[in-house]
Amino acid sequence: MLKWGINIINRYQTDFMKRGFGSDNHAGVSPEVLEALAAANLEHALAYGEDEQSVALTALFKSHFGEKAEVFPVFNGTGANTLCIDSMARSHEAVICADTAHINVDECGSIQRVVGCRLLNVPTPDGKLTPELIRTQMHGFGFQHHSQPKVISITQPTELGTLYTLDEIKAIVDLAHSHQMYVHMDGARLANAAVALQKNFYEMTTGSGIDALSFGGTKNGLMMGEAVVLLNPALSKNFLYRRKQAMQLCSKMRFLSAQFTAYFQQELWRRNAEHANRMAQQLYQTVKGLPHLKVMYPVQANAVFVQLPREVWKALQERYFFYEWDESQDIVRWMCAFDTTMEDIRDFSDTLLTLLNQYQK
């Protein structure tokens, strides 16, 4: 799994660190977002979502996700995921997810602590759940000694950079709803999925039957903040209070809302995601034929996973920041962002080729 150890970070000093491929979180903020933040900073405004921009945000999200959608800005992705699950499950219930899911690997037990429910994680070959894999955990209904399966959580794109088709999403939703279960989508990089599949947000979410969505923007040009988007009206009841209890209510919410306004109204989400995906494809095309390198998963969004000799990727990490994904198999992850450049890719691939040639000798 992806390791976020401080030991790797300490190896990098600002004065010589090159632009790496560690995460789209490492990129800065889109100029359009900075302009929107500056514009929101000119006057006083009501707090806690009562300002004009935050009130208008509901209509903006409805235009992309449908009239039933209710939006609740939050501080971060972990908060969005946890609150989505909190709206759907209780402590005696369980969430079925892929073993690579962010909620299972990288959120420090937030759901278990805040919601109190179990996570039933399922091994997958490519990060994607299927009805067949999900059914391995769908048992014990009505048995008082067993945590009751209540939610299926999928990630679009997955943590391995792969994509669910609309038919695959609908098959999971149909299975869940036939058992009176909910489906949550972690959409931290939903924009990357939308442009890759050439589908709109509505088609991938509301139109496919998703009940609750964690909608991300920080990885695609925003400075801060994500959003809980509740698509099933039954989940909105009392959610305002649950968000407050979870410490995810922003007092100066206009600064979160202003970012999303720029993100949607200026088609920023599309431009940034298209560029990040295009750069990932360029990186993939550049490195796929190199010796001793194996691309592990289809490159469908803005992530490239490769297997390399340890000697090579360790040496490459001395020049460029990126994370090892599975050190036991020498698999590393390279992420492209909205500001990745062709020069970044050329410099990176040239260094990689040099190291691979040295390894051959």
Side-chain angles (χ1 to χ4, degrees), residues 104-130:
N104 185 53
V105 177
D106 289 310
E107 294 185 350
C108 200
S110 175
I111 288 171
Q112 292 92 323
R113 178 173 182 178
V114 175
V115 185
C117 64
R118 287 189 65 193
L119 296 184
L120 304 175
N121 61 84
V122 182
T124 72
D126 56 2
K128 293 164 59 176
L129 290 176
T130 64

Side-chain angles (χ1 to χ4, degrees), residues 237-338:
K237 184 180 180 181
N238 296 325
F239 189 85
L240 288 171
Y241 312 114
R242 304 184 83 84
R243 177 176 61 175
K244 178 65 175 182
Q245 281 190 330
M247 298 170 284
Q248 288 289 324
L249 177 61
C250 180
S251 59
K252 296 184 179 181
M253 197 180 292
R254 70 185 186 273
F255 294 107
L256 298 184
S257 300
Q259 295 178 88
F260 283 114
T261 300
Y263 197 60
F264 283 121
Q265 288 185 343
Q266 302 182 42
E267 288 279 287
L268 182 61
W269 68 269
R270 185 186 303 277
R271 298 199 309 274
N272 282 358
E274 284 177 342
H275 180 82
N277 287 8
R278 187 165 57 249
M279 290 298 98
Q281 282 297 321
Q282 184 63 48
L283 178 60
Y284 164 65
Q285 294 296 332
T286 302
V287 305
K288 67 177 183 178
L290 296 181
H292 305 291
L293 182 149
K294 179 182 179 182
V295 178
M296 299 302 296
Y297 310 108
V299 179
Q300 297 179 318
N302 62 323
V304 181
F305 290 81
V306 303
Q307 187 178 56
L308 283 169
R310 179 166 306 195
E311 174 184 327
V312 173
W313 65 260
K314 287 285 188 181
L316 188 61
Q317 274 186 334
E318 298 297 331
R319 299 281 302 279
Y320 299 90
F321 189 96
F322 57 85
Y323 292 104
E324 56 265 28
W325 180 261
D326 186 344
E327 193 168 358
S328 68
Q329 297 188 58
D330 289 320
I331 298 173
V332 298
R333 186 193 76 167
W334 298 331
M335 294 296 302
C336 292
F338 76 92

